[in-house]
Amino acid sequence: MEPEKFGSQAVKAIVSQFVGFLLDSYDLTMILTIAPQLAVVLLPPTSSSLLATFTVILTYSLTIIFRPLGSAIFGNLGDKIGRRADLIITVLGLGLVSALTSALPTYASVGILSFILFVLIRIGVGIFAGGEYAAGHPFAMEWTPYKWRGLISGLVQGGFSFGAALAAAVEGAFISIYGVTGVEQFAWRYIFLTTLIPAIIALAIRLTMKETPVFEDVKQKNLVRKTPFFDLFKMPYLKDFLQVMLYMTGMFFFAYSLFAFVPTILKYPPSVFASNQVEANFIYTIGTFGAFAGAVFFGALSQYVGRRRLTLIWAILTFIIAIPIYYLLISSASLGNVALATLASIVIGVITQGPWGIIPIYLSERFKASMRASGVGFGYSSGIFIGGWFSIYVPLMHQYLFKSIDTPTNVWFSTAVLLMIGAVLVGIGQYIGPETLGTKLTEEVTAERATERT
């Protein structure tokens, strides 16, 4: 049974996932935007500035590698006990572990142990974050009436870009109040404590929600699987998972062409904004609001054009525009032209994050209801296996291939190439997959499923 119109539970489900996904992005983006300050706090003072920042960004990659583990654990749980209970656990864990970063000792007080503890906390965050979207995306989509799926998918996914914008804005505000030195000395702890705010809001909403009618239908038809996660790797589902994995690998290259490296490009020479991080944060923040708008627009448009067709067109256009738009970003930043740099940041936000607008509904439509949390969660996270090491790919391209184009202290061209590779993978991934627009989210009892019943 799928809902035909919006009710209070549908609104709660959508707001809950928007805020939960906002929290995920808020935490992750905080690491990227505050990387130069964290490098000073957690690493030896003898480290070079750019190398130390790359080291902090590398911990981001190391920790998101643990997201598939969280998706496997909580996705399987979400298909066994339901989406709602799963989401209460994940948002509690995500909020508390992220806030624990504020209690870290510094390198000056305990040496390299501070960095080791930081990595361990990031691993914990990664596990709970992987579970957050495993149950959260299906929960929101299973409560959404058919004709609104594309728009709501974009809105829910846009919570990630909105969280990134909020994180950049919060960091900018703290730098404005305390200065870079003040953030490095003590205010970075306050910044991480702010992660408790969206966690409390999401938890309060989830405690009042009901289970989705689609999962209730799965239980009523006795379709709950014994091992939903492991069923992903059995035929005929394995080929669907592998197609999704290829597609999501490209999508992660898209994402971090914005979230990881636009702040880096703006904060290092020849960018004039290297000496004015408030302006750099402002430019990046506006770009992430563009990303939010792009995700909502793309999701809504996919309801009319189709998920597959729209993504293929977008991938081709992105491949063409990648180098010119990053050149506009670095050249305007080198001249200190805030208006043009902001325009470039907005366009990068739209082209890299727009296709993410269909992810909640596309992945929900790709997997059956009885294995949807596992499929959505691990399918989403599978892109991390290759895509999550962007913090190695770009420095390697910079060091050995494009250093003369990038300039020794910037990575604009290497980042553009990363986005182009992402566009190729996204295009191929969608081309070999089916169109999902019109797919029912409920699952019917078939002869095959009858033999698989618990």
Side-chain angles (χ1 to χ4, degrees), residues 13-323:
I14 294 163
V15 174
S16 161
Q17 185 56 11
F18 181 89
V19 176
F21 214 39
L22 178 152
L23 170 61
D24 179 12
S25 172
Y26 185 86
D27 168 87
L28 292 175
T29 306
M30 197 68 73
I31 299 298
L32 298 176
T33 57
I34 206 173
Q37 289 76 45
L38 284 178
V40 173
V41 172
L42 301 173
L43 293 169
T46 54
S47 303
S48 73
S49 177
L50 185 60
L51 179 61
T53 298
F54 274 140
T55 302
V56 173
I57 293 176
L58 176 59
T59 67
Y60 179 102
S61 289
L62 288 171
T63 56
I64 66 172
I65 291 300
F66 281 84
R67 285 176 166 237
L69 176 60
S71 294
I73 294 170
F74 292 105
N76 192 74
L77 194 63
D79 286 325
K80 296 286 287 183
I81 68 171
R83 327 303 193 202
R84 176 185 176 273
D86 214 4
L87 287 172
I88 291 173
I89 298 170
T90 57
V91 77
L92 269 173
L94 183 56
L96 291 175
V97 176
S98 177
L100 189 61
T101 309
S102 64
L104 277 172
T106 65
Y107 182 88
S109 60
V110 298
I112 198 63
L113 179 61
S114 64
F115 188 72
I116 294 172
L117 291 173
F118 174 66
V119 171
L120 292 175
I121 287 174
R122 304 317 304 166
I123 289 172
V125 169
I127 290 173
F128 283 111
E132 176 65 22
Y133 49 71
H137 280 355
F139 192 90
M141 292 298 96
E142 288 174 358
W143 271 112
T144 300
Y146 171 76
K147 68 177 181 178
W148 296 102
R149 284 183 188 174
L151 175 63
I152 299 304
S153 177
L155 182 63
V156 166
Q157 184 66 38
F160 195 91
S161 299
F162 196 86
L166 187 60
V170 168
E171 189 208 351
F174 273 85
I175 290 176
S176 297
I177 296 169
Y178 297 106
V180 173
T181 302
V183 170
E184 291 173 353
Q185 290 177 345
F186 64 91
W188 62 275
R189 299 185 186 277
Y190 303 155
I191 293 176
F192 280 101
L193 277 176
T194 62
T195 58
L196 287 173
I197 298 172
I200 292 172
I201 294 172
L203 178 62
I205 296 172
R206 290 174 184 183
L207 288 172
T208 67
M209 297 188 310
K210 297 179 181 179
E211 186 53 79
T212 71
V214 173
F215 185 75
E216 294 290 357
D217 183 66
V218 169
K219 290 195 298 182
Q220 184 178 357
K221 292 175 179 176
N222 194 25
L223 293 175
V224 177
R225 294 172 181 263
K226 294 179 180 178
T227 55
F229 171 73
F230 292 105
D231 287 354
L232 288 174
F233 309 103
K234 301 175 182 177
M235 293 300 290
Y237 312 117
L238 178 59
K239 61 182 179 61
D240 296 335
F241 171 76
L242 292 176
Q243 177 263 323
V244 166
M245 180 178 173
L246 176 63
Y247 167 59
M248 291 305 303
T249 299
M251 290 300 295
F252 273 95
F253 283 3
F254 267 47
Y256 296 114
S257 296
L258 169 69
F259 294 130
F261 295 113
V262 167
T264 304
I265 292 167
L266 291 171
K267 292 183 179 182
Y268 286 93
S271 171
V272 173
F273 308 121
S275 59
N276 189 341
Q277 294 197 10
V278 173
E279 283 190 329
N281 278 319
F282 169 79
I283 293 167
Y284 173 65
T285 301
I286 299 302
T288 51
F289 279 119
F292 170 75
V296 175
F297 170 76
F298 195 101
L301 189 59
S302 75
Q303 196 69 22
Y304 302 94
V305 178
R307 328 287 190 211
R308 181 176 180 271
R309 182 183 180 189
L310 182 59
T311 304
L312 288 172
I313 295 171
W314 202 277
I316 294 169
L317 294 177
T318 299
F319 185 89
I320 294 170
I321 200 176
I323 291 176

Side-chain angles (χ1 to χ4, degrees), residues 379-404:
Y380 191 117
S381 294
S382 66
I384 291 170
F385 294 137
I386 297 174
W389 296 101
F390 60 89
S391 59
I392 293 178
Y393 305 146
V394 168
L396 286 177
M397 286 192 289
H398 169 75
Q399 185 66 34
Y400 297 107
L401 297 176
F402 308 124
K403 193 170 186 176
S404 61

